[in-house]
Amino acid sequence: MQLITGQTIQKKPIDCLHFINGEYQSSVNYKTFQNINPANEEVLGTVAEGGAEEIDLAVQAAKKALKGPWKNMTANDRAVVLRRIGDIILERKDELAALESLDTGKPIWLSSSIDIPRAAYNFHFFADYMRSLGTEAYQTDDVALNYSIRRPVGVVGLINPWNLPLLLLTWKLAPCLAAGNTCVIKPAELTPMTATSLGKICREAGVPDGVVNIVHGFGPNSAGSALSEHPDVDAISFTGETTTGKVIMAAAAKTLKRLSYELGGKNPNIIFADSDLDEVIETTMKSSFINQGEVCLCGSRIYVERPVYEQFVEKFLAKTKELVVGDPFDPKTKVGALIGEEHYQRVTSYIELAKQEGGEILTGGKRPAGLDKGYYIEPTIIVGLDRNCRVVKEEIFGPVVTVIPFDTEEEVIEQANDTHYGLSASIWTNDLRRAHRVAGQIEAGIVWVNTWFLRDLRTPFGGMKQSGIGREGGMHSFEFYSELTNICIKL
Ligand code: NAD
């Protein structure tokens, strides 16, 4: 296949099959759907379209595997397998990065320098971390000794979004396996390729058959809903839209499944006048436009203290105009293509809405010149909007930010919290007391001070309000992926 730059990255169609009980399989009725390259709208290949039957086959394989060799492995042996998965991902980094960029439209530098290495690190981290955790023990006077033991939850459904496909899938899969569970993965229908490769990698690394199963398909009335309501699935870890989370919760309620949710965000990026503006702008370029703004943590609501508002806008605008939008495989590209037609329409409709709501588009807001095929939108800065506008309140999930001035600390805290989301926030200030004071009042699961997206995998990750339920990361992942039994011995 010829990409826009004329490079030949893909010579033949890449077809994606389910991975059930250690084998690649078609759907029972051979049903498939097409996988479209968002960068040029060409067909990349076909994807097996699973539904209730394939999900049931996968769940039964996972249930059986809970009692097999996986159960009898020590935590140390499982850690060896997990480390090997991480090693193989790194060995195949270039191939996996190319697949990820073909599927998502994201720049190849991003896939190869962040997404794929981080996917490997998820396995390396949880392989070792889980072995370092202990459990509680209490002596009840001289009457009894209590201690807790952990065991796997059972069969876990892992339902994934398209924006960071392998990174987010492995963020769930690594702790899920380290805690001894088996699983059924439902990758996003728009990005099936790296998940498909992961089946083979797990097999090569020594994961027993049936422990990791992958079923492709859509969400509603398809593989997603079948997994959410399957009676033999004990827990669901879901990352995706808040509205989808509500539907999955209703389906999972019938069998009271344990749920972990990482949902949408509309995150404030709060810039006080005493911060170092050059440093702020360097990071704000990333928190606004990296991965085409298709990151749940993107700081798409920018609030700037009035004394530096004009200066910030001028510098930020100049830097944004320098961003190269285009072919994901061109090393000069900083912003690639949006994921697909439907999402492109959604993002452009918000830009139109911004105009109707009285906003001024300082830059962007349209398809870049010369890119007639593919789902490209220029990075877009909008000013002049009122805090109550829909564009300021709703998640757009594209390269679109709003910039609003503020006068007082109280006012900006109130505006930052005026949303049903509560995922993350960034605060920029050189005043230490203010940093602590404001950080403690922002309603978000993660608050960064003078930085953005700096992650330590031991820390709790997740959102409050309608941005999520529970936390993953470090011991929090272990809490979700394991069951506790307290044993009380009378002395
Ligand atoms: P989505 O909710 O549309 O889809 C996510 C997954 O859910 C897909 O695999 C889809 O097939 C499946 N699904 C859809 N409907 C379903 C149903 N009825 N039953 C079961 N499964 C169903 O989300 P998306 O568009 O793929 O991802 C973008 C969203 O994800 C954004 O809102 C973004 O903020 C959020 N996100 C959050 C985080 C986080 O860590 N909080 C990380 C990445 C993305």
Side-chain angles (χ1 to χ4, degrees):
M1 173 175 288
Q2 293 278 303
L3 292 170
I4 297 167
T5 50
Q7 289 167 278
T8 307
I9 300 285
Q10 185 203 357
K11 298 194 182 65
K12 53 183 184 176
I14 302 169
D15 297 324
C16 296
L17 295 173
H18 310 301
F19 184 75
I20 300 175
N21 205 21
E23 296 293 335
Y24 284 103
Q25 306 182 14
S26 308
S27 287
V28 176
N29 56 9
Y30 299 101
K31 217 171 158 190
T32 59
F33 62 95
Q34 286 185 332
N35 186 19
I36 305 294
N37 182 346
N40 57 18
E41 300 174 45
E42 289 179 12
V43 177
L44 286 166
T46 61
V47 188
E49 183 179 338
E53 274 185 275
E54 292 74 16
I55 287 288
D56 188 52
L57 286 173
V59 172
Q60 295 319 324
K63 203 174 159 190
K64 192 166 158 229
L66 272 179
K67 301 201 174 80
W70 194 235
K71 180 171 188 253
N72 299 327
M73 269 190 196
T74 63
N76 275 351
D77 290 343
R78 278 204 302 266
V80 170
V81 173
L82 258 66
R83 287 209 130 265
R84 222 180 280 144
I85 299 175
D87 292 346
I88 302 174
I89 289 175
L90 286 183
E91 281 162 24
R92 308 221 178 124
K93 188 184 81 162
D94 292 347
E95 179 196 330
L96 290 166
L99 291 177
E100 204 73 307
S101 282
L102 280 169
D103 241 356
T104 57
K106 71 175 73 193
I108 187 73
W109 66 263
L110 187 57
S111 309
S112 52
S113 68
I114 296 185
D115 290 51
I116 305 304
R118 170 61 199 283
Y121 183 57
N122 285 337
F123 285 101
H124 290 155
F125 171 79
F126 281 110
D128 293 335
Y129 186 80
M130 292 302 204
R131 283 183 301 169
S132 72
L133 293 174
T135 52
E136 301 160 273
Y138 302 98
Q139 184 164 346
T140 314
D141 301 322
D142 55 358
V143 180
L145 180 64
N146 289 276
Y147 67 94
S148 305
I149 56 164
R150 287 191 181 274
R151 62 185 76 196
V153 176
V155 176
V156 185
L158 307 176
I159 305 181
N160 296 279
W162 46 258
N163 62 326
L164 308 167
L166 195 67
L167 189 161
L168 289 176
L169 159 51
T170 54
W171 167 242
K172 298 180 187 305
L173 180 61
C176 173
L177 295 181
N181 301 283
T182 64
C183 67
V184 178
I185 296 165
K186 212 301 271 168
E189 53 273 30
L190 294 169
T191 53
M193 294 208 286
T194 47
T196 306
S197 302
L198 191 63
K200 194 163 168 242
I201 292 172
C202 287
R203 194 167 60 192
E204 277 177 39
V207 175
D209 293 348
V211 172
V212 173
N213 304 276
I214 302 161
V215 178
H216 296 291
F218 297 91
N221 307 312
S222 180
S225 53
L227 184 58
S228 319
E229 63 195 24
H230 198 293
D232 291 332
V233 172
D234 302 288
I236 300 268
S237 176
F238 167 71
T239 301
E241 281 196 24
T242 298
T243 46
T244 311
K246 293 177 186 176
V247 178
I248 292 177
M249 184 178 261
K254 288 177 209 149
T255 47
L256 276 184
K257 295 185 201 325
R258 177 182 288 216
L259 296 174
S260 173
Y261 274 4
E262 295 184 347
L263 307 176
K266 183 78 177 177
N267 311 299
N269 180 13
I270 302 169
I271 299 158
F272 286 97
D274 69 343
S275 54
D276 175 343
L277 265 200
D278 288 333
E279 196 188 342
V280 172
I281 283 167
E282 193 186 329
T283 304
T284 297
M285 294 301 295
K286 294 182 197 144
S287 67
S288 302
F289 303 124
I290 201 167
N291 206 48
Q292 302 71 245
E294 297 165 324
V295 179
C296 55
L297 303 166
C298 272
S300 52
R301 285 188 290 150
I302 304 175
Y303 297 98
V304 189
E305 203 172 4
R306 205 172 298 272
V308 293
Y309 176 79
E310 295 294 338
Q311 198 189 348
F312 170 85
V313 168
E314 190 186 322
K315 287 188 175 192
F316 183 46
L317 183 61
K319 284 275 178 204
T320 302
K321 285 181 173 171
E322 286 171 14
L323 288 174
V324 177
V325 185
D327 178 3
F329 286 87
D330 185 333
K332 290 196 294 298
T333 294
K334 285 283 180 286
V335 178
L338 295 188
I339 188 68
E341 161 100 51
E342 197 182 323
H343 191 56
Y344 178 84
Q345 298 301 347
R346 177 188 154 106
V347 175
T348 47
S349 75
Y350 272 108
I351 293 168
E352 287 311 308
L353 179 64
K355 293 176 195 161
Q356 290 161 24
E357 289 185 316
E360 182 190 353
I361 314 285
L362 289 187
T363 185
K366 59 183 188 322
R367 180 179 274 282
L371 288 171
D372 300 330
K373 283 270 173 199
Y375 305 111
Y376 298 96
I377 293 184
E378 287 179 354
T380 303
I381 303 175
I382 304 168
V383 295
L385 284 176
D386 178 80
R387 58 180 286 187
N388 293 316
C389 290
R390 282 182 53 205
V391 172
V392 177
K393 294 212 150 202
E394 296 174 16
E395 185 183 44
I396 300 174
F397 216 56
V400 181
V401 295
T402 56
V403 191
I404 295 180
F406 70 89
D407 293 302
T408 67
E409 194 179 299
E410 294 71 29
E411 173 200 347
V412 78
I413 292 170
E414 204 264 315
Q415 288 200 40
N417 290 339
D418 186 17
T419 163
H420 65 265
Y421 291 116
L423 187 55
S424 73
S426 281
I427 301 164
W428 293 89
T429 178
N430 280 320
D431 178 337
L432 183 64
R433 288 187 177 177
R434 173 155 59 197
H436 286 296
R437 199 168 54 230
V438 177
Q441 292 179 76
I442 296 291
E443 294 165 358
I446 306 144
V447 178
W448 283 290
V449 177
N450 296 334
T451 187
W452 176 73
F453 212 158
L454 187 62
R455 289 279 297 122
D456 179 329
L457 300 195
R458 292 169 298 185
T459 60
F461 180 93
M464 56 174 72
K465 303 203 280 196
Q466 292 191 26
S467 283
I469 296 179
R471 297 291 182 272
E472 296 195 20
M475 58 176 274
H476 305 278
S477 295
F478 199 40
E479 291 290 334
F480 177 72
Y481 290 109
S482 59
E483 278 288 6
L484 273 177
T485 299
N486 185 67
I487 297 174
C488 175
I489 300 179
K490 190 174 176 208
L491 296 175

